Structures are given as C-alpha cells and as structure tokens.
C-alpha cells in the first residue's frame, strides 16, 4: 500500500514537472519563436492604387484587390453583431481560443474522421491569414492556437476585429467589408440595412459558393441563417428578424464609382507611376493626385462627346449593328439577354426596335424597359451611301429602321435620340501655359472602346496649325507682320521623279500681294510656302526645334509650310503655350503629388514655371504671333469663335491634305487647349475643315472653362510699337492716309516711308534675311 502511495506521489510530481516544462517551453515558444505580433499594429494591407483629381475627386483605382480599410469605430454595430453571431459568439470572453469549441471539433474529428465543426475563433483566423500557410496540418493548427493566444495578449479585441474585417476575402475581388458593401450594394458600409449586414457576415464561410450574385439561393439561405443566429442570441428583436427574412436579395455587381470620368488621364498617371515605383503601386496603397481639374475635365468630356457625335451625324446613318428578326412577346426575354451582352459606350446604349409608327420608333433596352424615339430623334438619319454621298432626307421611321434592328440610343433635351458609335475619333487637351499642368485630357471617344490615347501617342500632321512656328522663325529673322509676299501660283519639280507639285489655297484662288498678318489670319498656303523658301527650310527646322519638336518629326522641304510634320496633340499644346506665356518652354505633366497610406509625401512635382522656365523665343515675337492669332478669331478662319464674346483669345485652325486631320489650337494667358478630329485610319478623309470639325469642340470647352472668368489681356512687352502702315504695301503711312491701318512691330524693324516696290519671285537664296528697315516690298 505504501509502495502504491509513493508511486502515485512520484507520478503526480513527475506530471507537475512535465506540465511545468511544457508551460515553460510553450511560453518560450510563444515569446521568442513565434512572429512579432507588434507588427500587426502597423500592418500594411494590400490596398490598390488610387488616383485623384487636383481637387480630391477619385478618378481611378488600380489593383487586383479592391480594399478600403476602415477603423473599428467606423464599423456599424449590426455588422459586428452579425459576424460574432455566426463566426465567434464568445469572442469578447475567450483568450483568443475557444476551448469548448476546440474540444467539440476534436471529438467530431475523432468520431467521424471529418472536420465538420470548426473550432477556429476570429483571432485564430487573423493568425492564420497574416502569418501561416494554407496547408492544413496538425503542426500548423498548434501554431495557429499559440499565435492566437499571443495576439489576444498583445492586441485589443477591437483591433483584432478591425484587422479581421479589413482582411477577409468576401468574393468578387472584394477584400474587407467596406469594399464588399460597395461592390455588392453600391454604397458605403454605414448605409447598409440589417439584411445586407447579415449577407456580408455570412460570406467568409465560402465567399464563392455563397456569392449573392452568382448563387442567390445559397446566399439567401446563409443570410437567413445569420439573421436566425442574431435573433437567437438577442442581437435583434422579432420584428427586425422577420423584416430581414422578408427583404429581397438585392445584391448586384457595382463597378468602382469614380467621381470624375478621366480614364485617359488616369492611365497616363498609372503608366508614369509604374515607371517610378514598379508593381508596388498596385498593392501598397499609393495615392496619387493628378493635375486634372475636375470642372474642366467634365467640360472636356462633354465637348468631345457632343461634337464627335454631331460630326458623325452630319455624315449620315450607317445602319444597325445587327438585326434580331421579327419581335414576338415570348422572345423578348432572349432579346434582353442579347442586349445585356452588348456594352454601352459613352452614353450610347444598345436597344432593339420592336415597333414603329410613321414618325416614331419604340425600342427595347437591356433592362427590359421600352422607350420611344420621337421624330426629332430620328429625322437626322439620312442614309450614308458612301463617305462622299448621303441619301435623301427620310420621310418616315420605316425608311430608317426595320423591326429587330439593334441600334444605339442616347438621351437628349427633346427625348430619346437614335445614335451610332462614331467611326471618327477625337481628342482634347488643356494645359496651364504658365507651368505645364495638364488640366483636362480626353484621348478618344470612349476608353473602353479604344484605350489608345491619341493626345499623347498619335503622330498626326498638324496642317495649317503648324504655320505660326514658321512665321515665328521668320519674325526672328527680321520679317514683320507687314511684310508683303505674293500669293501667286507655285510649281515645284520633284528632282527624284520629275513630278510637279502645284500647291493651292483651300479656296483654289490666288490673292496677290498679301501681308503676313493677313496670310496667317486667312491661312494662305502659297504665302507660307514662299515665306519658308525665303527663310530656308533647314533654318526653319532648326528654329522650330526650340518649341519641343524633334528634327526627325519634320522634313526640311517647302511642304513643311503646310504642316507636313508628324506631331502629337500634347506637343502642339506645349508648343502653343510658348506663345501664350510670352516665350517660355514649359513641360506638360500629369502628376502633382504621390503619398503612401500614412499620408507621407513620396513625390511632389516641382515644374519649371514662368518665369523660371527656359526662354526659347523673345516676348516680342510671342506677342506678335499672338496678335495675329487673335485676329484669326476676330476676322479669320476661326471667326465662329467670336460668339464666345471674349477679346483675350488667340488660336489657329489646321486642316491637312485631303482633310484627313482637323485641328484647332487656341489659348488665353491662363488656358491653352488643343482639339483634334480624325480617323485612326490615317488616309480616310473627314470631308470637313478644322473650322468645322475641331473648332466647335474647342469653343464648347472654352465657353464652359472660362465661364465667369474675367478677361485676361496679353501683356504687351517693351520694344513693341504700333505704327500706321499702308495695307497694300506694308510700308509706313502718313498720318492723314485715309486707308492706313495700325500694325505692331519690334522696334528694330519699324518700316520706313513707302516707296516704289519691286515684286520678288520668291526664288531667293536659302536662308535669305528680311530687307533692312525701309527697304524692299513684295516677295
């Protein structure tokens, strides 16, 4: 008996020692072998890149995971209750592990060989998701338990729950409850209802299988289970419980709700950020503030949309995208499915014609609604026979449409309107000419339809909008806006194949002796060619490089006077900014600043602004060119822009050979804007000039952009004088000359009194300088 008693005591003591050793070992392991839990206080969750406008409006978000981290005090209590009811009801009582739950899970595993009842607490799930692999082993489970104990000891319950609700995957690329609320319900978490909270709380168990969009029945069953658990645990009363069960399953996929539509600008920023920081931008929560002004971007979007559609409709209706056959009531559901698979582009929605009267058409939309297009929305649709010819004006709806036609529709001020996706493209860019900020940018009709950014990447011929650079080169060589050059026929032989080049004015007329100001105002091609011949094409190319164009983009031939260079719209905007700001070369830029998730500034733009930017032309030349370009609007090819009723605007139209490209570049001291219209297939003609296709877009944008802005006159620099001249000869006129007009000159080049002049043919030597003051006459 004594022996047995001693054995019991010995075994008891040995057990106590063994337990002590295990406890010490476990304590040591938890303290020193497990990962440092303190890092969870400052953990960096994978957060996508966000790009904002300069005024803080979201433009775009990039990253595989959509996550919007929120603090614990921002998480609504009903959601916390729902999560605890279904995931860990004793969360606030246990030390990180739920011993009864673990015991039940162990018994089940022993009896069935299957893991039917989990023992994982929220804290254990946090440990697993932050520190452990996905491998389901016994060793990993022990680590998970020990880590949970350590986490619970180090962090508050609120912090652990915050980590959990921001980390968990909830399906549809949603990570965290805030992102899930916006993806499934299209609104912030704090605006959800009880049934919606219950839906989110039920997703962690199986985010894909319980997805309310793809598996609505399973999702509803899980939601109702969560509501039942909340009711059983007294989180909600019977009334709320029944209302939650009766609530419809109203989840659907919501795209990211940006505040400003600027996808081309956002993509430009994204590309530059990737070059600066690599792929980390998509996961490390970078926040970039662009230079885009949200108000101006809205104006730019509308200008491209409205004017490209107007151009497209001026050139006729090309017909339906497809035909679904004769409509019948039983088949309309299939039509809806077909329409739902056709994407909308820039407000142009697909619809199918289901009935017509003589002066209207009723169409079915993808959402099942039917709308009527009145005659005012149909009557424009003359049939496009080919690019040159249109059919007769339609008399009734049936001469335009057929039953079953799949067409595009858009809302308008007078009701729904028939539309079509434009075949032509367009772009607009607006800069601050004082520092290069890209304030608005649209690179095409619709980013989803075509991601090619024509403003940044399209090399196109600028046509006559290039002429101000030729004239600037001439002014720098001593010519003046009063210099007279003969607008007469030119025939140039190509020495390679002996072909003859006979350039024309767009009017196919000749205007005789013409002052340079008038030649630029009215875009006289023959004067510009003779002027380039006088100053020399090689000199001109070298001079124009200072505007930011590369020599490789230009050919040192006389055709350069007609804008045969290959340039991008952003280059044109930057180059024209030199005239707008008085001669300084600014560099366009799109990123204002970049910061991390803690708000630390990683990058801050420091542009070379006026007057610290490099000067590339004199303020006098910039002023003279601007003076002539103001007259382009007041009296010349852009006279339509007088309707803006401003005197502080200057600009130049541009149309290339065969009307392939249409341009307008215009500015005041605060805003430089370029518009372009053309086909991506570079040989296809627009059949319109820059004044018809591109100028109205510029006018619409500038009207909105400068609304309520006071006029800002261009400052006249020193050494510019205004002198009366004879408009026929360009020479100084007497004070009482009845036909005399005023012209601006740089003081070294003020003309002398008029004398008999001689006509020069224009076959002068390469790089010929202008005559001395008071000499010469017509070139």
């Amino acid at each position: 008996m004594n022996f047995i008693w001693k054995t019991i005591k010995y075994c008891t003591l040995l057990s106590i020692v063994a337990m002590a050793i295990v406890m010490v070992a476990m304590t040591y392991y938890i303290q020193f072998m497990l990962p440092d839990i303190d890092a969870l206080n400052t953990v960096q969750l994978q957060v996508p890149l966000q790009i904002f406008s300069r005024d803080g409006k979201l433009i775009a978000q990039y990253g595989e995971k959509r996550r919007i981290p929120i603090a614990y005090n921002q998480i609504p209590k009903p959601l916390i209750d729902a999560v605890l009811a279904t995931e860990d009801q004793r969360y606030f009582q246990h030390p990180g592990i739920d011993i009864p739950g673990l015991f039940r899970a162990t018994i089940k595993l022993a009896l069935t060989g299957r893991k039917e009842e989990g023992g994982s607490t929220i804290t254990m799930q946090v440990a697993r998701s932050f520190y452990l692999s996905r491998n389901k082993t016994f060793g990993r489970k022990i680590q998970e338990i020990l880590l949970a104990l350590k986490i619970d000891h180090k962090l508050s319950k609120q912090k652990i729950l915050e980590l959990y609700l921001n980390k968990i995957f909830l399906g549809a690329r949603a990570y965290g409850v805030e992102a899930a609320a916006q993806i499934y319900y299209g609104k912030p978490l704090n605006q959800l209802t009880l049934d919606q909270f219950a839906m989110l709380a039920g997703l962690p168990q199986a985010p894909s299988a319980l997805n309310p969009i793809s598996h609505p029945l399973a999702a509803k069953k899980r939601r109702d289970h969560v509501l039942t658990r909340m009711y059983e645990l007294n989180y909600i009363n019977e009334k709320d419980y029944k209302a939650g069960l009766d609530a419809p399953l109203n989840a659907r996929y919501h795209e990211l709700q940006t505040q400003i539509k600027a996808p081309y600008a956002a993509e430009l920023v994204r590309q530059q950020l990737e070059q600066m920081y690599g792929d980390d931008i998509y996961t490390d929560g970078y926040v970039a503030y662009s230079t885009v002004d949200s108000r101006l971007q809205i104006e730019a979007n509308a200008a491209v949309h409205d004017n490209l559609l107007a151009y497209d409709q001026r050139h006729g209706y090309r017909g339906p995208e497809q035909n679904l056959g004769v409509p019948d009531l039983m088949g309309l559901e299939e039509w809806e499915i077909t329409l739902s698979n056709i994407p909308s582009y820039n407000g142009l929605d697909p619809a199918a014609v289901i009935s017509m009267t003589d002066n209207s058409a009723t169409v079915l939309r993808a959402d099942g609604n039917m709308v009527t297009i009145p005659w005012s929305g149909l009557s424009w649709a003359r049939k496009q026979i080919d690019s040159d010819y249109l059919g007769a004006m339609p008399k009734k709806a049936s001469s335009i449409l057929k039953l079953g036609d799949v067409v595009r529709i858009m809302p308008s001020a007078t009701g729904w309107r028939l539309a079509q996706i434009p075949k032509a493209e367009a772009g607009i860019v607006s800069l601050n000419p004082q520092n290069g900020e890209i304030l608005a940018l649209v690179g095409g009709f619709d980013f989803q339809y075509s991601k090619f950014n024509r403003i940044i990447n399209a090399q196109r011929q600028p046509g006559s909008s290039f002429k101000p650079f030729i004239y600037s080169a001439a002014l720098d060589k001593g010519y003046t806006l009063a210099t007279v050059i003969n607008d007469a026929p030119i025939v140039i032989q190509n020495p390679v194949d002996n072909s003859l080049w006979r350039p024309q004015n767009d009017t196919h007329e000749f205007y005789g002796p013409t002052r340079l100001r008038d030649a630029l105002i009215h875009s006289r091609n023959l004067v510009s060619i003779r002027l380039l011949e006088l100053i020399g094409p090689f000199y001109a190319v070298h001079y124009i490089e200072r505007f930011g164009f590369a020599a490789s983009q230009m050919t040192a031939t006389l055709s350069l006077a007609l804008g045969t260079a290959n340039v991008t719209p952003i280059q044109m905007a930057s180059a024209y900014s030199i005239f707008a700001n008085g001669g300084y070369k600014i560099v366009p830029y799109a990123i204002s600043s970049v910061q991390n998730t803690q708000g630390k500034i990683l990058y801050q733009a420091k542009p070379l602004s006026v007057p610290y930017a490099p000067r590339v032309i004199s303020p006098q030349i910039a002023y003279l060119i601007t003076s002539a370009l103001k007259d382009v609007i007041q009296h010349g090819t852009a006279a339509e822009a007088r309707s803006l009723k401003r005197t502080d605007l200057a600009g130049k139209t541009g149309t290339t050979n065969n009307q392939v490209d249409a341009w307008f570049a215009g500015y005041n001291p605060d805003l430089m804007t370029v518009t372009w219209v053309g086909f991506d297939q570079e040989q296809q003609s627009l059949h319109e000039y820059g004044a018809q296709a591109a100028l109205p877009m510029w006018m619409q944008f500038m009207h909105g952009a400068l609304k309520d802005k006071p006029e800002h006159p261009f400052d006249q620099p020193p050494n510019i004088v205004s002198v009366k001249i004879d408009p026929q000869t360009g020479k100084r006129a007497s004070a009482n000359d009845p036909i005399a007009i005023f012209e601006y000159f740089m003081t070294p080049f003020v003309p002398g009194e008029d004398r008999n002049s001689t006509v020069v043919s224009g076959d002068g030597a390469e790089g010929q300088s202008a005559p001395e003051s008071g000499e010469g006459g017509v070139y």
Side-chain angles (χ1 to χ4, degrees), residues 608-629:
L608 285 175
S609 305
V610 174
Y612 304 105
R615 176 175 286 287
V616 293
I617 65 173
S618 72
Q620 291 79 22
I621 289 177
Y623 184 80
L624 291 175
I625 293 294
T626 293
S627 171
L629 297 186

PDB file of all heavy atoms in Angstrom, residues 608-629:
ATOM      1  N   LEU A 608       9.173  73.689 -63.735  1.00  0.00           N
ATOM      2  CA  LEU A 608       9.792  74.974 -64.040  1.00  0.00           C
ATOM      3  C   LEU A 608       8.714  75.871 -64.638  1.00  0.00           C
ATOM      4  O   LEU A 608       8.296  75.704 -65.785  1.00  0.00           O
ATOM      5  CB  LEU A 608      10.944  74.790 -65.027  1.00  0.00           C
ATOM      6  CG  LEU A 608      12.233  74.196 -64.457  1.00  0.00           C
ATOM      7  CD1 LEU A 608      13.250  73.961 -65.567  1.00  0.00           C
ATOM      8  CD2 LEU A 608      12.815  75.116 -63.380  1.00  0.00           C
ATOM      9  N   SER A 609       8.239  76.802 -63.836  1.00  0.00           N
ATOM     10  CA  SER A 609       7.142  77.671 -64.247  1.00  0.00           C
ATOM     11  C   SER A 609       7.690  78.999 -64.750  1.00  0.00           C
ATOM     12  O   SER A 609       8.856  79.348 -64.513  1.00  0.00           O
ATOM     13  CB  SER A 609       6.203  77.920 -63.054  1.00  0.00           C
ATOM     14  OG  SER A 609       5.756  76.704 -62.504  1.00  0.00           O
ATOM     15  N   VAL A 610       6.836  79.725 -65.438  1.00  0.00           N
ATOM     16  CA  VAL A 610       7.183  81.089 -65.844  1.00  0.00           C
ATOM     17  C   VAL A 610       7.374  81.929 -64.584  1.00  0.00           C
ATOM     18  O   VAL A 610       6.552  81.852 -63.667  1.00  0.00           O
ATOM     19  CB  VAL A 610       6.045  81.667 -66.723  1.00  0.00           C
ATOM     20  CG1 VAL A 610       6.303  83.132 -67.050  1.00  0.00           C
ATOM     21  CG2 VAL A 610       5.864  80.824 -67.982  1.00  0.00           C
ATOM     22  N   PRO A 611       8.446  82.681 -64.427  1.00  0.00           N
ATOM     23  CA  PRO A 611       9.485  82.992 -65.424  1.00  0.00           C
ATOM     24  C   PRO A 611      10.764  82.180 -65.256  1.00  0.00           C
ATOM     25  O   PRO A 611      11.829  82.592 -65.750  1.00  0.00           O
ATOM     26  CB  PRO A 611       9.760  84.473 -65.124  1.00  0.00           C
ATOM     27  CG  PRO A 611       9.628  84.556 -63.625  1.00  0.00           C
ATOM     28  CD  PRO A 611       8.538  83.570 -63.252  1.00  0.00           C
ATOM     29  N   TYR A 612      10.708  81.045 -64.550  1.00  0.00           N
ATOM     30  CA  TYR A 612      11.909  80.264 -64.306  1.00  0.00           C
ATOM     31  C   TYR A 612      12.158  79.217 -65.373  1.00  0.00           C
ATOM     32  O   TYR A 612      13.239  78.630 -65.455  1.00  0.00           O
ATOM     33  CB  TYR A 612      11.836  79.600 -62.930  1.00  0.00           C
ATOM     34  CG  TYR A 612      11.608  80.609 -61.831  1.00  0.00           C
ATOM     35  CD1 TYR A 612      10.358  80.734 -61.220  1.00  0.00           C
ATOM     36  CD2 TYR A 612      12.622  81.469 -61.431  1.00  0.00           C
ATOM     37  CE1 TYR A 612      10.143  81.676 -60.233  1.00  0.00           C
ATOM     38  CE2 TYR A 612      12.413  82.413 -60.447  1.00  0.00           C
ATOM     39  CZ  TYR A 612      11.159  82.512 -59.847  1.00  0.00           C
ATOM     40  OH  TYR A 612      10.951  83.451 -58.872  1.00  0.00           O
ATOM     41  N   ALA A 613      11.155  78.941 -66.202  1.00  0.00           N
ATOM     42  CA  ALA A 613      11.324  78.002 -67.312  1.00  0.00           C
ATOM     43  C   ALA A 613      12.268  78.622 -68.341  1.00  0.00           C
ATOM     44  O   ALA A 613      12.429  79.845 -68.409  1.00  0.00           O
ATOM     45  CB  ALA A 613       9.967  77.705 -67.941  1.00  0.00           C
ATOM     46  N   PRO A 614      12.920  77.798 -69.159  1.00  0.00           N
ATOM     47  CA  PRO A 614      13.842  78.351 -70.162  1.00  0.00           C
ATOM     48  C   PRO A 614      13.114  79.185 -71.213  1.00  0.00           C
ATOM     49  O   PRO A 614      12.069  78.784 -71.711  1.00  0.00           O
ATOM     50  CB  PRO A 614      14.477  77.105 -70.775  1.00  0.00           C
ATOM     51  CG  PRO A 614      13.543  75.978 -70.468  1.00  0.00           C
ATOM     52  CD  PRO A 614      12.896  76.318 -69.174  1.00  0.00           C
ATOM     53  N   ARG A 615      13.670  80.341 -71.505  1.00  0.00           N
ATOM     54  CA  ARG A 615      13.088  81.170 -72.565  1.00  0.00           C
ATOM     55  C   ARG A 615      13.597  80.682 -73.908  1.00  0.00           C
ATOM     56  O   ARG A 615      14.800  80.485 -74.101  1.00  0.00           O
ATOM     57  CB  ARG A 615      13.469  82.636 -72.361  1.00  0.00           C
ATOM     58  CG  ARG A 615      12.965  83.541 -73.488  1.00  0.00           C
ATOM     59  CD  ARG A 615      13.238  84.999 -73.242  1.00  0.00           C
ATOM     60  NE  ARG A 615      12.355  85.547 -72.225  1.00  0.00           N
ATOM     61  CZ  ARG A 615      11.061  85.813 -72.390  1.00  0.00           C
ATOM     62  NH1 ARG A 615      10.482  85.548 -73.557  1.00  0.00           N
ATOM     63  NH2 ARG A 615      10.351  86.321 -71.426  1.00  0.00           N
ATOM     64  N   VAL A 616      12.671  80.466 -74.856  1.00  0.00           N
ATOM     65  CA  VAL A 616      13.069  79.949 -76.162  1.00  0.00           C
ATOM     66  C   VAL A 616      12.768  80.913 -77.302  1.00  0.00           C
ATOM     67  O   VAL A 616      13.355  80.796 -78.380  1.00  0.00           O
ATOM     68  CB  VAL A 616      12.417  78.576 -76.429  1.00  0.00           C
ATOM     69  CG1 VAL A 616      12.964  77.522 -75.477  1.00  0.00           C
ATOM     70  CG2 VAL A 616      10.897  78.644 -76.332  1.00  0.00           C
ATOM     71  N   ILE A 617      11.834  81.842 -77.116  1.00  0.00           N
ATOM     72  CA  ILE A 617      11.632  82.922 -78.082  1.00  0.00           C
ATOM     73  C   ILE A 617      11.458  84.214 -77.291  1.00  0.00           C
ATOM     74  O   ILE A 617      11.141  84.194 -76.098  1.00  0.00           O
ATOM     75  CB  ILE A 617      10.420  82.689 -79.018  1.00  0.00           C
ATOM     76  CG1 ILE A 617       9.110  82.692 -78.222  1.00  0.00           C
ATOM     77  CG2 ILE A 617      10.573  81.398 -79.800  1.00  0.00           C
ATOM     78  CD1 ILE A 617       7.861  82.625 -79.108  1.00  0.00           C
ATOM     79  N   SER A 618      11.641  85.305 -77.952  1.00  0.00           N
ATOM     80  CA  SER A 618      11.540  86.598 -77.263  1.00  0.00           C
ATOM     81  C   SER A 618      10.080  86.909 -76.929  1.00  0.00           C
ATOM     82  O   SER A 618       9.166  86.438 -77.625  1.00  0.00           O
ATOM     83  CB  SER A 618      12.112  87.710 -78.136  1.00  0.00           C
ATOM     84  OG  SER A 618      11.243  87.980 -79.231  1.00  0.00           O
ATOM     85  N   PRO A 619       9.848  87.692 -75.891  1.00  0.00           N
ATOM     86  CA  PRO A 619       8.452  88.072 -75.592  1.00  0.00           C
ATOM     87  C   PRO A 619       7.837  88.882 -76.719  1.00  0.00           C
ATOM     88  O   PRO A 619       6.620  88.860 -76.908  1.00  0.00           O
ATOM     89  CB  PRO A 619       8.586  88.887 -74.303  1.00  0.00           C
ATOM     90  CG  PRO A 619      10.004  89.363 -74.272  1.00  0.00           C
ATOM     91  CD  PRO A 619      10.805  88.295 -74.945  1.00  0.00           C
ATOM     92  N   GLN A 620       8.687  89.575 -77.488  1.00  0.00           N
ATOM     93  CA  GLN A 620       8.161  90.386 -78.592  1.00  0.00           C
ATOM     94  C   GLN A 620       7.603  89.490 -79.707  1.00  0.00           C
ATOM     95  O   GLN A 620       6.512  89.734 -80.238  1.00  0.00           O
ATOM     96  CB  GLN A 620       9.265  91.298 -79.153  1.00  0.00           C
ATOM     97  CG  GLN A 620       9.692  92.412 -78.211  1.00  0.00           C
ATOM     98  CD  GLN A 620      10.638  91.938 -77.115  1.00  0.00           C
ATOM     99  OE1 GLN A 620      11.295  90.892 -77.263  1.00  0.00           O
ATOM    100  NE2 GLN A 620      10.722  92.683 -76.018  1.00  0.00           N
ATOM    101  N   ILE A 621       8.341  88.434 -80.055  1.00  0.00           N
ATOM    102  CA  ILE A 621       7.849  87.527 -81.096  1.00  0.00           C
ATOM    103  C   ILE A 621       6.581  86.822 -80.616  1.00  0.00           C
ATOM    104  O   ILE A 621       5.610  86.677 -81.374  1.00  0.00           O
ATOM    105  CB  ILE A 621       8.945  86.513 -81.484  1.00  0.00           C
ATOM    106  CG1 ILE A 621      10.058  87.224 -82.257  1.00  0.00           C
ATOM    107  CG2 ILE A 621       8.359  85.368 -82.310  1.00  0.00           C
ATOM    108  CD1 ILE A 621      11.227  86.337 -82.624  1.00  0.00           C
ATOM    109  N   ALA A 622       6.573  86.385 -79.344  1.00  0.00           N
ATOM    110  CA  ALA A 622       5.382  85.736 -78.802  1.00  0.00           C
ATOM    111  C   ALA A 622       4.184  86.667 -78.877  1.00  0.00           C
ATOM    112  O   ALA A 622       3.072  86.245 -79.230  1.00  0.00           O
ATOM    113  CB  ALA A 622       5.626  85.309 -77.358  1.00  0.00           C
ATOM    114  N   TYR A 623       4.396  87.929 -78.591  1.00  0.00           N
ATOM    115  CA  TYR A 623       3.298  88.897 -78.614  1.00  0.00           C
ATOM    116  C   TYR A 623       2.800  89.124 -80.038  1.00  0.00           C
ATOM    117  O   TYR A 623       1.584  89.202 -80.277  1.00  0.00           O
ATOM    118  CB  TYR A 623       3.753  90.217 -77.995  1.00  0.00           C
ATOM    119  CG  TYR A 623       2.649  91.235 -77.881  1.00  0.00           C
ATOM    120  CD1 TYR A 623       1.732  91.180 -76.842  1.00  0.00           C
ATOM    121  CD2 TYR A 623       2.511  92.253 -78.826  1.00  0.00           C
ATOM    122  CE1 TYR A 623       0.700  92.113 -76.735  1.00  0.00           C
ATOM    123  CE2 TYR A 623       1.490  93.189 -78.732  1.00  0.00           C
ATOM    124  CZ  TYR A 623       0.587  93.115 -77.675  1.00  0.00           C
ATOM    125  OH  TYR A 623      -0.422  94.037 -77.583  1.00  0.00           O
ATOM    126  N   LEU A 624       3.724  89.231 -81.010  1.00  0.00           N
ATOM    127  CA  LEU A 624       3.312  89.476 -82.390  1.00  0.00           C
ATOM    128  C   LEU A 624       2.525  88.293 -82.945  1.00  0.00           C
ATOM    129  O   LEU A 624       1.498  88.479 -83.619  1.00  0.00           O
ATOM    130  CB  LEU A 624       4.542  89.755 -83.254  1.00  0.00           C
ATOM    131  CG  LEU A 624       5.263  91.080 -82.976  1.00  0.00           C
ATOM    132  CD1 LEU A 624       6.524  91.184 -83.816  1.00  0.00           C
ATOM    133  CD2 LEU A 624       4.340  92.267 -83.247  1.00  0.00           C
ATOM    134  N   ILE A 625       2.997  87.069 -82.681  1.00  0.00           N
ATOM    135  CA  ILE A 625       2.258  85.893 -83.158  1.00  0.00           C
ATOM    136  C   ILE A 625       0.878  85.842 -82.507  1.00  0.00           C
ATOM    137  O   ILE A 625      -0.142  85.585 -83.171  1.00  0.00           O
ATOM    138  CB  ILE A 625       3.039  84.604 -82.875  1.00  0.00           C
ATOM    139  CG1 ILE A 625       4.324  84.553 -83.711  1.00  0.00           C
ATOM    140  CG2 ILE A 625       2.172  83.375 -83.144  1.00  0.00           C
ATOM    141  CD1 ILE A 625       4.106  84.449 -85.203  1.00  0.00           C
ATOM    142  N   THR A 626       0.827  86.114 -81.203  1.00  0.00           N
ATOM    143  CA  THR A 626      -0.463  86.125 -80.509  1.00  0.00           C
ATOM    144  C   THR A 626      -1.391  87.184 -81.083  1.00  0.00           C
ATOM    145  O   THR A 626      -2.594  86.956 -81.249  1.00  0.00           O
ATOM    146  CB  THR A 626      -0.255  86.354 -79.004  1.00  0.00           C
ATOM    147  OG1 THR A 626       0.422  85.221 -78.456  1.00  0.00           O
ATOM    148  CG2 THR A 626      -1.575  86.547 -78.274  1.00  0.00           C
ATOM    149  N   SER A 627      -0.830  88.341 -81.418  1.00  0.00           N
ATOM    150  CA  SER A 627      -1.638  89.406 -82.011  1.00  0.00           C
ATOM    151  C   SER A 627      -2.282  88.929 -83.307  1.00  0.00           C
ATOM    152  O   SER A 627      -3.482  89.157 -83.559  1.00  0.00           O
ATOM    153  CB  SER A 627      -0.763  90.633 -82.277  1.00  0.00           C
ATOM    154  OG  SER A 627      -1.459  91.604 -83.031  1.00  0.00           O
ATOM    155  N   ALA A 628      -1.512  88.245 -84.145  1.00  0.00           N
ATOM    156  CA  ALA A 628      -2.066  87.730 -85.405  1.00  0.00           C
ATOM    157  C   ALA A 628      -3.084  86.624 -85.136  1.00  0.00           C
ATOM    158  O   ALA A 628      -4.131  86.557 -85.798  1.00  0.00           O
ATOM    159  CB  ALA A 628      -0.937  87.217 -86.295  1.00  0.00           C
ATOM    160  N   LEU A 629      -2.806  85.763 -84.163  1.00  0.00           N
ATOM    161  CA  LEU A 629      -3.725  84.659 -83.878  1.00  0.00           C
ATOM    162  C   LEU A 629      -5.006  85.146 -83.208  1.00  0.00           C
ATOM    163  O   LEU A 629      -6.044  84.477 -83.310  1.00  0.00           O
ATOM    164  CB  LEU A 629      -3.023  83.602 -83.015  1.00  0.00           C
ATOM    165  CG  LEU A 629      -1.822  82.907 -83.672  1.00  0.00           C
ATOM    166  CD1 LEU A 629      -1.293  81.788 -82.780  1.00  0.00           C
ATOM    167  CD2 LEU A 629      -2.184  82.355 -85.053  1.00  0.00           C
TER     168      LEU A 629
END
